Amino acid sequence: MLLKAKDYFTLGNVLGGFLCVIFVIQGRLEWASYSILIAYAFDVSDGAVARLTNQFNKFGAELDNVADLVAYSIAPSFLIYGIYTMHPIYPALPWWIAAAIASAPTLAGCIRFARFNVKRISYDGAFVGFPRPASALLFIGYFNSHFFISNEIFYWFGIFVVFYSSVMHFVLVPFYSHHRFAHPLYIKVAFWFIASSVAFAAIGHLITGYGVTFDIITFWLLNYLFTHRHLTFTREELKKFKAFVTEWKADEATA
């Protein structure tokens, strides 16, 4: 059978991205955001199922890569287009300007997809380039946060966030990975603090109907995007990564 158990969870990731598009067409931007969160839940689950069932194959890896392109590049582009054309608070931009802004995640995601399919790149303890799931979650957090709707300056700053995070998809810089074999103590503490702050905020949101979950997600992911490299990697680690990238780029030229 072509599809393994984990692949059905991967397809759930795709369907979450598809639902996001449908909800944007209907003008239901909040549900479009939740659809990407559902896609992320399936994405996290498929890895766990693969490990439990020991089902690893090349087809599953390629399907997962395509699913990420749909859920974390194409679907967020539709969400961004909806934000800048039909947001209930801010004035709508002309469709072609909104489309130009919204195209950035899809274009960047396609470049990343093709580039790393031609020549795989993997570095222990780090993602190379800003991960597409992190980018999608950043968009969800940012455009649903309280500060986004509190001041119009954040409406315009969102355009910069979209373009910068998209470009960082294929820029060869390290982003700390939770897959690292051994984490320093301060990183473990940071992971615990990040996870617990999001969890407590989400629980409070569910209980009271009001919360700062999206604000906290945005805060952590903006730090991940802009500042974390200088806080989590030592100079020696950054030097080793730079040497690795130089060697990889030399091989890429012949691929």
Side-chain angles (χ1 to χ4, degrees):
M1 186 177 179
L2 183 62
L3 294 175
K4 306 295 185 183
K6 70 167 288 294
D7 297 325
Y8 292 102
F9 285 84
T10 305
L11 291 176
N13 187 13
V14 177
L15 286 175
F18 174 72
L19 284 175
C20 172
V21 175
I22 297 298
F23 282 127
V24 170
I25 292 173
Q26 295 179 345
R28 301 167 72 180
L29 300 181
E30 186 175 10
W31 279 102
S33 298
Y34 290 145
S35 296
I36 296 179
L37 288 177
I38 292 171
Y40 181 71
F42 276 107
D43 188 25
V44 172
S45 299
D46 72 357
V49 172
R51 288 187 292 273
L52 286 172
T53 58
N54 196 28
Q55 294 178 338
F56 297 95
N57 55 28
K58 188 174 181 180
F59 172 81
E62 291 302 322
L63 181 63
D64 189 65
N65 206 5
V66 174
D68 285 355
L69 182 65
V70 173
Y72 304 137
S73 297
I74 297 174
S77 285
F78 276 87
L79 176 61
I80 293 164
Y81 180 80
I83 292 293
Y84 284 99
T85 56
M86 60 182 80
H87 196 277
I89 295 177
Y90 296 118
L93 297 180
W95 74 266
W96 56 275
I97 295 180
I101 297 167
S103 67
T106 293
L107 294 176
C110 285
I111 293 171
R112 180 186 178 93
F113 178 86
R115 186 184 194 187
F116 294 160
N117 261 19
V118 170
K119 178 151 181 31
R120 297 286 186 182
I121 186 168
S122 178
Y123 190 83
D124 183 38
F127 297 112
V128 181
F130 193 50
R132 287 174 297 183
S135 180
L137 292 176
L138 172 58
F139 297 148
I140 294 169
Y142 185 88
F143 291 118
N144 288 282
S145 64
H146 288 101
F147 58 81
F148 176 74
I149 62 176
S150 67
N151 193 313
E152 191 171 350
I153 191 172
F154 293 110
Y155 177 75
W156 301 109
F157 182 71
I159 299 173
F160 172 74
V161 171
V162 169
F163 279 114
Y164 184 80
S165 62
S166 298
V167 169
M168 294 304 288
H169 282 337
F170 52 85
V171 175
L172 301 178
V173 296
F175 285 85
Y176 200 92
S177 169
H178 61 286
H179 297 300
R180 192 168 186 160
F181 179 72
H183 300 288
L185 178 60
Y186 75 96
I187 294 294
K188 292 180 181 179
V189 172
F191 279 159
W192 178 87
F193 188 67
I194 291 168
S196 60
S197 64
V198 173
F200 283 125
I203 293 170
H205 199 156
L206 289 173
I207 294 174
T208 66
Y210 179 87
V212 292
T213 311
F214 291 119
D215 304 79
I216 291 175
I217 290 173
T218 302
F219 174 79
W220 289 123
L221 286 173
L222 284 177
N223 275 283
Y224 187 53
L225 176 61
F226 289 109
T227 67
H228 96 286
R229 289 192 306 279
H230 310 291
L231 301 174
T232 55
F233 294 108
T234 65
R235 289 186 179 181
E236 187 62 29
E237 287 176 323
L238 290 174
K239 193 177 296 184
K240 288 181 180 179
F241 181 84
K242 187 176 181 179
F244 164 79
V245 166
T246 300
E247 182 179 348
W248 183 87
K249 288 173 73 174
D251 291 339
E252 181 191 30
T254 61

